[in-house]
Amino acid sequence: MLHSKKVRSGVTNIGCPLLFGAALVASWQTGLLHKILKTDEYILPYPMRIIDIMKENSDKIMLNVNASVKVALIGLLLGSVLGYLIAIIATVFPKYGSGGLTIVSAFNAIPIVALAPVFINWTKDVSDIAEERSMAAKILVVTVTSMAAMSVNAYRGLTELPPFSEDLMKTYAAGRLTEFFKLRFPNSVPYIFTALRVSVPGSVIGALVSEYFAEYIIGVGRQIRENILIAQYATAWAYIVTACIIGIVMYAILMLAESIILKACLHRT
Amino acid sequence: MKNLRKTMAFIAAMTMLTGAFASCGSSENSSEAGKSTVSESSSSSGQTAEMSDSDRIVAAAQAGKVGNWGLGNEYEILALLTKYGQKTEYLSQAFDMDGFDDDSITLASAMTYNELGLVKNDYEGGYGYGDTVGIIDMNNEGVAMLEDNLFCTKEFAEKNPNTVKAFISASMKGWEYACENPEEAAQIVFEAGSSVSSDHQAYMASEVKKLVETDTKGNTVNEYGKMDEEAMQQTLDLAKEYISLDDSTAASKLQTLTLDDIRDTSYWEDASADDFGDPEKTSVSVQLKWLPQCQFMGYYVAKAKGYYDEVGLDVDIVSGGGDIGETTAVNNSTVDFGVTWVSNLISADAGGMDLLEIAQVYQRSGLVLVYKK
Amino acid sequence: MIFIVLFCFISFPEQRNINELKGTISMIEHERNDIEIMLDNVGMVYDSADGKEVTALTSVTMDIHKGEFISLLGPSGCGKTTLLRIIADLIHPTSGNVLIGGVSPKDARLKRRYGMVFQSATLYDWRTVIKNIELPLEITHCPKKERHERAMKMLDLVGLSDFADHYPRQLSGGMQQRVGIARALALQPEILLMDEPFSALDEFTREKLHVDLLKIWRKTNKTIIFVTHNIQESVFLSDRICVLSPHPGRLSAIIDVDLPRPRTMDIKDTPEFTALVSKVRNSFEGV
Amino acid sequence: MKKLKKLLTSKFFITIVWVVMLIAVWELFAFHVENIKRTPENVQPHLSGIVDSLTSDRKINGSQTALQMVIENAKATLTRAGIGYIIGIASGFLLALFMSLSKIVEKTSFPYLMLIQLIPILGMAPIINAITGDIAKSRIIIAAILTFYPVATNTLAGFKSVQREKHELMYSYAANKFQIYTKTMIPACIPYFFTGLKISAPMAITASILVDTLQGGIGLGCLLSQSLKGAMTRYVFWDIVFFSAVIGILSFYIMGIIEIMMCPYRRTGKR
């Protein structure tokens, strides 16, 4: 009963979504989608046209991709490290720490669109060069948005330990540092990935939105906005597709890293 | 004991955090120096006043401190920079004048009727620079592009010619009245829900009046909404040169556009001659390019004074200021009419929309570059 | 004195002539019409992840009588749970036949001939104790009033009448398992299938539940098939113990337990009990 | 766990301490900014200034004070967010249900479900607006899309979390599909469903505010961007930032309270 299913499930796993995607693109290219959505090929250009624009402007697109990815990655890194540090502080001082975590997670509820202009004003004096201070503002937005997810998850990873493991460490008379590196840190690794799964897409979106307001004009998000404002929908779509690809690639890399690292962790124990 | 240790460590951590914040703050001290240079430069105005406009433009461009809002408002600046042989780069200017105020932008874009007023005057929201600032006028530099116009889709105009004519007629009547009574117009706009302070509103009305009644060469215009061939052609030529489109199809279409593709004077002519019948569509809406303010006082006046009712139209004025261009809103029939800048209409038509200018309200460019003397 | 035990050793049934075996079984069926479950040459082969065939169970042939308490005893991997799941129609044997009250496991299931008790109580967190017991009755569209009455009766049977409106989380593990038994009995099935139901409980609770289970069994007269890896437990509870051995899973012995009933805890101190326990243990070593 | 069992009063106290600390840091900054900036309210105003702007009866536009404006616009935004939220919840739940009912549906839609969270919906907002042609509609749709993903994935996780024994139990009762879902699957996934609701409640509000900024009209985001673009005093912007933060946090807790009311059997602290 099972053996034939295995082969079949492999086929359906890839086949079904592919088929669906192909059907979607086909209905898009043939104009069926336009009829369903009651729109025109101006607002929703054909896929081939979008791809053409992407090909024609690959250099310019890559320039903007670089800028956006840089913001997303640096912000993600800073936010995650900061978030993890906050989680550590919260673990060391559980009484005040968890209260602080509640406050940090509340940042999640503030719309980034509101944060972006605030941060641009805050970072005005970071540098005389507009490109640098814009960068700082954008990174700050991404940092704040990815910090919350990391601190909450990492705190769980640092405190929700296997039963008796803490006691075991005590019987070894292990110091706090040993306890951290031998027990708490390894325990928190899967939680780090849980946080990253939320914050990686979040960092991309944070980068795109913060570009809207930045002083220095660069980035995929900014291009989407500029092109829509001058009514260049086909070009805007090219950048939207680019943004999707950035998100997908970053997520795929994360998944790959997760599977490799978690496997390595499993082998070790 | 243990608790005490914990508390101490906690306090230490917090102190460190606060310290980090404080040091972060101290890096801002550099701007304190910046602030003092503001007063210095303004006090030593006599010395720098000798600088010519072209020197200013070159200096600011090379320092990378020319500002503009971008998003389709930048073409005149690009043309100006090109004129002086500078790289066509500018800073993205926020919608306040803080960047100008703190010197991160030395040559800032300003509309005569809005930002310039805020920079000069000291009413609420103003920076109070008074006459210590000077301007570079796009009209004088020969790079003026026409701004606020009225437009709709070709399809709508063909289907509802009388509605279009009636709307133009009543709107222009509104503009005429507003320009004759700018203070009353300002009050009407304020009561219509604008949140701009009434002082600034009054300033804006008087400045907008100038744009509506003076052409790019400084001559007085008596016919409201007239489409001046020469100014339109200059706008189209500059647009072809400075609107850069990534989409090659759109870019090549842009180069083929002629005035006849983007405007039709017949509706305005008939409207001026009061030569139109009953409107086909009586309930219409108009999308403004920006937030409700005196920039659009003609429409608010026409509505408040009942000019639209007189021609049998029920008009809904939709304020703008968002990311959705007014061109899109008109193109997908969210609204019937729109107010936009001619350059925006040109790029929309190049992109594949079928929009038609039906009246040109502003006869000259309201864009200036403002600098501290 | 050592009890004389009927020792029925079914040695490697694949060596037997299957036709002959089938004949024997139909004969037995004629002779005794109180057979509840009939297993005929039941085998189960899985495909493992790397594509190899894994034999979970090789031809098991046996009869289980009405009202009998049967234990399936063996170490992990011996196929005892597989056998129970085959009877419960949760999996289909790759060879052989199963008849429950004369019908296939599927028909038996559709007729709700058996109730199941799992290793974990598998109670529904969001239902109170009484609502948990009512669950199967809801599924069979039993009228509301009758449903409640029957559930209360079952709850009474397991001695938890006072806890009807508690949520499962408020109960101890032993109490939860009692609710599980009450729920399995709610549809008044003829057969109770129990898959290591007490293995997660502490020794004290388990012993108490053993006695209680025997009481319930006596009152309700069900046929019970009880999967366990605990020798003492199987000896204390069962009429017969089916000893299963791993690699491949097979029925290696059936041991009759003719300790007198009703059994109490004291019986565990008797030499007969001890002797049976060692006999069962030896039956493993003998394999 | 021991630490969680602290008395409510002390927990309350800790929160107060944190809030006071945050206020102190904010004010420290505000004083600093006040000294170096000509328009401190554009960078960071004093909290007292923000409170003043809310309580003052000065009319911002022709007829309303700041507080009246915020409340009126908040009503519009929250209504749209609410409608979008409900649509998102319903469609997210239904998709999860179909995915759990049919392997084909699950396999087909799961990669696309992942994709939805990777698409910059906020970047696409103008296009959705262009397609629908109605700003109010697109505001609702985007709130719905953002709600949709967390609800769908969490509900699906809830369906998958049902123990094998529970499936077997229902199987042994010969329960039909409808009974399996109403008696087992759906009640079992409720806590997961609420996790999704709690995540997406602030998101729906954020989205609604963000999409407001696309075009004029009524809504918190419109007001926010107008204030940012200098159409009215900057304090309105700060009022909205704080208001939206408070509403976002409240929405999270309100969903938590509803969950506790709906699930009396749940112990606290799970997930």
Side-chain angles (χ1 to χ4, degrees), chain A residues 43 56 70 78 90 111 114 130 146 148 153 209 226 230 235 265 268:
Chain A
I43 301 291
E56 280 168 25
K70 214 154 103 187
L78 278 179
S146 46
N153 278 292
V209 173
E226 299 249 338
I230 58 168
T235 316
C265 281
R268 209 174 50 194

Side-chain angles (χ1 to χ4, degrees), chain A residues 10-269:
Chain A
V11 174
T12 48
N13 261 342
I14 304 163
C16 286
L18 270 185
L19 213 69
F20 180 76
L24 194 72
V25 171
S27 70
W28 186 351
Q29 182 67 42
T30 55
L32 190 66
L33 197 63
H34 296 84
K35 279 194 193 111
I36 297 168
L37 294 173
K38 291 197 186 75
T39 185
D40 50 35
E41 69 278 359
Y42 179 77
I43 301 291
L44 186 64
Y46 294 122
M48 286 316 290
R49 176 123 189 259
I50 297 172
I51 292 168
D52 283 345
I53 294 173
M54 288 175 76
K55 272 194 230 151
E56 280 168 25
N57 298 285
S58 55
D59 290 348
K60 191 177 171 190
I61 289 177
M62 280 320 290
L63 202 74
N64 288 299
V65 167
N66 270 342
S68 298
V69 169
K70 214 154 103 187
V71 168
L73 283 182
I74 298 177
L76 183 67
L77 189 75
L78 278 179
S80 302
V81 169
L82 258 170
Y84 199 85
L85 283 178
I86 290 173
I88 292 177
I89 294 172
T91 318
V92 178
F93 310 102
K95 200 173 153 192
Y96 278 83
S98 53
L101 276 182
T102 320
I103 306 264
V104 170
S105 59
F107 281 143
N108 259 354
I110 303 171
I112 18 178
V113 69
L115 286 180
V118 174
F119 287 170
I120 283 162
N121 280 329
W122 281 359
T123 52
K124 261 286 165 60
D125 306 314
V126 166
S127 163
D128 276 343
I129 301 161
E131 188 177 0
E132 285 175 10
R133 55 173 186 263
S134 292
M135 194 76 174
K138 291 187 270 188
I139 288 172
L140 204 57
V141 173
V142 179
T143 304
V144 169
T145 49
S146 46
M147 189 171 69
M150 180 54 84
S151 60
V152 173
N153 278 292
Y155 180 72
R156 285 182 54 198
L158 291 170
T159 50
E160 289 178 12
L161 303 168
F164 311 116
S165 54
E166 239 172 313
D167 299 334
L168 187 70
M169 282 292 158
K170 282 217 181 80
T171 63
Y172 299 151
R176 283 215 120 149
L177 267 182
T178 324
E179 189 191 72
F180 176 78
F181 283 109
K182 295 286 173 201
L183 174 64
R184 292 187 190 270
F185 176 71
N187 192 64
S188 70
V189 170
Y191 291 85
I192 292 176
F193 281 105
T194 311
L196 286 178
R197 276 198 224 174
V198 178
S199 52
V200 162
S203 72
V204 175
I205 289 170
L208 299 186
V209 173
S210 60
E211 281 162 8
Y212 281 15
F213 297 91
E215 264 184 294
Y216 191 77
I217 302 165
I218 197 155
V220 175
R222 184 56 171 257
Q223 293 294 344
I224 295 174
R225 186 183 189 213
E226 299 249 338
N227 278 295
I228 282 172
L229 266 167
I230 58 168
Q232 297 298 312
Y233 282 85
T235 316
W237 269 100
Y239 281 103
I240 286 175
V241 172
T242 309
C244 292
I245 294 171
I246 294 176
I248 292 164
V249 168
M250 282 181 67
Y251 200 77
I253 292 172
L254 172 72
M255 298 303 265
L256 199 71
E258 182 175 353
S259 68
I260 291 170
I261 290 173
L262 286 188
K263 215 178 256 174
C265 281
L266 282 177
H267 278 298
R268 209 174 50 194
T269 45

Side-chain angles (χ1 to χ4, degrees), chain C residues 211-282:
Chain C
V211 176
D212 291 348
L213 179 61
L214 286 183
K215 271 186 205 153
I216 293 166
W217 175 57
R218 206 171 54 235
K219 271 191 215 162
T220 56
N221 222 0
K222 307 284 175 201
T223 309
I224 295 183
I225 302 179
F226 191 97
V227 171
T228 180
H229 52 240
N230 185 322
I231 298 174
Q232 299 224 357
E233 184 175 69
S234 66
V235 172
F236 181 73
L237 292 171
S238 326
D239 291 330
R240 279 197 291 166
I241 301 170
C242 300
V243 179
L244 288 108
S245 301
H247 313 301
R250 63 193 185 277
L251 187 56
S252 53
I254 295 181
I255 298 170
D256 277 8
V257 181
D258 44 6
L259 296 171
R261 294 199 189 262
R263 294 173 192 166
T264 60
M265 223 83 94
D266 302 332
I267 210 166
K268 292 191 178 176
D269 301 327
T270 62
E272 293 85 350
F273 186 87
T274 321
L276 264 168
V277 168
S278 16
K279 183 173 179 183
V280 172
R281 191 176 293 128
N282 289 335

Side-chain angles (χ1 to χ4, degrees), chain C residues 117 133 151 154-155 158 177-187:
Chain C
V117 179
I133 301 172
M154 290 304 140
L155 205 53
V158 296
Q177 201 53 277
R178 282 168 200 262
V179 178
I181 294 170
R183 186 180 56 188
L185 291 170
L187 284 176

